[in-house]
Amino acid sequence: MKDIVLKALYTLISLFVITNYGLLLVGTMARVRAKVQGRIGQPVWQPYIDILKNNFKRTGIFHGVMFYLGPVFRLAGGLGTYLFIPAVFGSVVFVNFSFSGDLLLVMYFIFFGQLGMALGAGRGGHPYSPIGVARGLAQMTAFEVPFALSVIAIAAQYHTLSITELVAVQQGGVLNWIVFTNPLATIAAMISFLGMSMGNPFSVVIAPQEIPIGPPTEMQSSFLGMLQTNRAIFNAAKLVLFMNLYFGGATSIWMMIIKTFIIYLYTVVVGASFPRFRTDQAIRFFLGIPTLIGIAAVVLQMI
Amino acid sequence: MSENKTQIDEIANQMKLANDGLTDQDKAYFCDTRPHAVEPYRGILEKFANWARSQSLWILGYGTGCGAIELRPLMTSRYDMYRYGIQPRPTPRQSCVFVIGGYASVKTTKRIVRSYEQMQGPKFVLGLGSCTVNGGMYWDSYNTINRLDHYIPVDVYIAGCMPRPEALLAGFNTLKGIIREGKAEGMNKYIENFDWYKANQKKIIKDWNMPDYNW
């Protein structure tokens, strides 16, 4: 009983840290983007104020039970992704529930939130929501191909799908990191990560003004506040996942922060440098060279 | 007993909106409940909420007149509205500030009303340019409205033709002050005087083919 209470406490601490880290990261990167554009940019704490403001809205429009459940599923997807990844290798608090789930479960959770959101957004009745969802899912399916091939390659290389074990084999020196032991798999996954983080050049699916804002078109007030909170958690969870898979994981919270910050900075730099793809172009892109690199990574493991 | 029930039904019907502009078929798709005012929180909680509201102003990205051109430079590096917590949003559901950019033709006013009602409260309106104050150079036009606040409540007016982006930023700062003081209760004002606003709107919008309140 004591163990369960302790584990629950550790989980809450872990979630608290990752939520705040995720929100500050979103704020910091918005500022980095502003600097690139020659602006000062929003305060780093702006995401907190936006979430507070949305939760303090006095009215909200209700579209049925499924509309409520959409953001809940999305949040469950974000929490699920994070809670089955060890954020800090060897830490008691930040190991989360990585012992009870593996990489396939985490990949499922990455998709799960979007599917839940699709149900909720469809219930909102706004014609732009399903279009946004369809475009989001299409792009998601496309970038999952190189990512899945990359995961197959590293799973074949180390004969495991457990994230903790994958982190364990990378310990003992920089050259043990998968980025050096399997560069092709890493390249395929990092290109796929650009799509996964939905920044430029793959941001059309959530771009304001085009199909107005995509799936959350009809989401407002506290529904939107929930989605924004989830975006921070989900973002941080994906960064932690990629750090664990390809960059040797982290043995302390500071190492985790440095590594994930650099991985996120990479997506922001790419986003600030390249124009956007349309959704159909993005799908063709992911199914082209990144997929071939992924296949090459798998084939190399088979030889 | 049955008399009481009839009276209750009558009162209930009075509380509902007629939605006369809609066809019988369309009526089923729209809500006919009257909007109701929402009391602010009390004390420090409302002050804190107002502070958050004032620091996060999301503009509805809908340019309603020539003045909308003044909104674009605000996003650029020269004016950079993001540092004040102001940013555009593409959907009325998520935005809280509606900038009426100059003159509003009758046709546009219909869309303004629709968009304003779809925004979730508390919501604020900035009237940009002299045309929103008294019609400006269009004061005797057959096709534009003269006083914006006869149709929707306005929190801040920015006079000029055209006001520059600096004036718009000054207007936003005034709005922030009003919000923090707890005086930006435009939405409750709209609902409390709902029948007056509706009568004014219907007086000029002849092809009223939308519900009486756009939930």
Side-chain angles (χ1 to χ4, degrees):
Chain A
M1 186 63 196
K2 193 182 156 201
D3 287 349
I4 294 174
V5 173
L6 210 58
K7 188 70 198 159
L9 183 70
Y10 288 161
T11 309
L12 287 177
I13 294 172
S14 182
L15 276 177
F16 177 78
V17 170
I18 205 71
T19 310
N20 285 292
Y21 175 56
L23 287 169
L24 286 174
L25 207 54
V26 171
T28 314
M29 290 304 167
R31 228 173 144 82
V32 171
R33 260 182 235 114
K35 297 285 177 207
V36 174
Q37 294 162 0
R39 298 187 285 113
I40 295 171
Q42 64 183 28
V44 172
W45 52 87
Q46 189 68 38
Y48 287 93
I49 304 178
D50 290 342
I51 291 173
L52 274 176
K53 193 265 313 250
N54 278 325
N55 286 315
F56 272 127
K57 283 268 184 186
R58 288 184 193 153
T59 55
I61 299 290
F62 170 67
H63 290 286
V65 177
M66 204 56 232
F67 188 73
Y68 265 122
L69 289 180
V72 175
F73 281 171
R74 194 95 170 100
L75 190 62
L79 293 181
T81 310
Y82 176 67
L83 286 179
F84 288 106
I85 307 173
V88 175
F89 181 67
S91 155
V92 186
V93 181
F94 293 100
V95 74
N96 297 334
F97 293 90
S98 55
F99 47 85
S100 48
D102 62 11
L103 196 44
L104 289 183
L105 183 71
V106 170
M107 284 174 75
Y108 167 71
F109 265 119
I110 292 177
F111 224 109
F112 173 79
Q114 186 77 5
L115 290 175
M117 188 66 201
L119 292 170
R123 182 73 192 174
H126 198 293
Y128 288 153
S129 301
I131 297 174
V133 168
R135 300 198 326 175
L137 282 176
Q139 182 173 304
M140 204 166 206
T141 314
F143 71 64
E144 285 274 318
V145 174
F147 179 54
L149 285 168
S150 164
V151 166
I152 290 168
I154 57 171
Q157 187 180 353
Y158 292 105
H159 304 287
T160 180
L161 275 168
S162 156
I163 304 174
T164 314
E165 284 179 28
L166 282 172
V167 178
V169 296
Q170 294 180 72
Q171 300 305 309
V174 175
L175 289 177
N176 288 348
W177 294 3
I178 288 177
V179 65
F180 295 110
T181 60
N182 198 342
L184 283 182
T186 310
I187 292 169
M190 289 313 283
I191 296 176
S192 151
F193 184 62
L194 292 174
M196 206 182 277
S197 59
M198 288 199 184
N200 285 351
F202 304 105
S203 64
V204 166
V205 286
I206 52 159
Q209 313 292 18
E210 309 229 349
I211 290 298
I213 219 158
T217 304
E218 194 66 11
M219 297 289 171
Q220 16 73 33
S221 308
S222 46
F223 299 107
L224 187 62
M226 202 173 192
L227 288 177
Q228 285 177 306
T229 316
N230 171 63
R231 179 166 287 177
I233 298 174
F234 199 34
N235 217 352
K238 283 186 287 192
L239 289 166
V240 171
L241 176 67
F242 273 72
M243 174 194 75
N244 280 336
L245 289 186
Y246 305 102
F247 300 98
T251 44
S252 71
I253 190 96
W254 301 112
M255 191 54 84
M256 189 268 275
I257 287 174
I258 292 169
K259 283 186 180 175
T260 49
F261 185 87
I262 293 172
I263 298 173
Y264 197 14
L265 195 63
Y266 144 77
T267 68
V268 173
V269 169
V270 173
S273 318
F274 290 95
R276 293 189 304 197
F277 282 121
R278 288 201 313 267
T279 310
D280 57 321
Q281 290 171 327
I283 291 168
R284 281 198 200 97
F285 172 81
F286 283 122
L287 297 181
I289 290 167
T291 303
L292 287 177
I293 297 173
I295 291 172
V298 175
V299 170
L300 275 181
Q301 294 306 317
M302 290 167 69
I303 298 170
Chain B
M1 186 69 184
S2 64
E3 240 175 55
N4 280 349
K5 195 172 178 301
T6 325
Q7 277 178 347
I8 291 169
D9 283 348
E10 265 177 30
I11 293 167
N13 280 335
Q14 282 169 9
M15 294 298 286
K16 291 199 166 173
L17 298 167
N19 283 353
D20 287 331
L22 296 172
T23 61
D24 285 342
Q25 201 184 358
D26 282 351
K27 273 183 189 173
Y29 294 117
F30 292 96
C31 186
D32 59 359
T33 313
R34 285 176 78 91
H36 51 272
V38 184
E39 283 295 308
Y41 300 116
R42 285 182 188 187
I44 196 161
L45 188 59
E46 179 67 9
K47 276 187 184 165
F48 179 59
N50 279 335
W51 171 81
R53 284 165 193 152
S54 73
Q55 293 302 111
S56 164
L57 295 173
W58 290 2
I59 311 172
L60 175 59
Y62 170 32
T64 60
C66 50
I69 199 76
E70 302 296 327
L71 277 171
R72 272 68 174 178
L74 289 187
M75 293 175 218
T76 61
S77 50
R78 181 157 181 183
Y79 299 103
D80 190 20
M81 63 181 176
Y82 293 90
R83 63 200 151 126
Y84 303 114
I86 306 166
Q87 54 172 297
R89 286 312 265 198
T91 144
R93 286 279 188 242
Q94 297 174 0
S95 26
C96 52
V97 182
F98 198 174
V99 179
I100 308 294
Y103 71 89
S105 67
V106 173
K107 213 171 170 180
T108 312
T109 309
K110 188 174 168 186
R111 275 78 186 171
I112 289 175
V113 170
R114 257 203 122 146
S115 306
Y116 177 74
E117 288 177 352
Q118 283 181 28
M119 289 162 66
Q120 300 304 304
K123 48 195 171 185
F124 320 108
V125 177
L126 268 172
L128 177 67
S130 302
C131 302
T132 55
V133 183
N134 58 7
M137 62 186 275
Y138 298 100
W139 70 275
D140 59 349
S141 165
Y142 67 99
N143 199 29
T144 56
I145 58 167
N146 279 357
R147 283 189 60 174
L148 182 61
D149 64 0
H150 279 183
Y151 306 96
I152 54 171
V154 181
D155 295 285
V156 174
Y157 281 114
I158 303 161
C161 181
M162 292 302 305
R164 286 186 52 79
E166 289 95 334
L168 195 51
L169 279 180
F172 273 114
N173 275 334
T174 312
L175 178 66
K176 282 184 173 191
I178 294 175
I179 296 171
R180 275 198 288 269
E181 283 169 26
K183 289 178 182 167
E185 290 293 338
M187 187 192 180
N188 282 343
K189 188 179 162 196
Y190 185 70
I191 290 166
E192 279 153 17
N193 304 296
F194 187 68
D195 294 324
W196 184 77
Y197 280 112
K198 273 298 138 187
N200 286 347
Q201 291 163 4
K202 287 189 174 177
K203 207 185 282 176
I204 58 147
I205 302 171
K206 299 298 178 197
D207 59 335
W208 189 279
N209 56 356
M210 55 184 188
D212 286 342
Y213 189 81
N214 296 278
W215 277 98

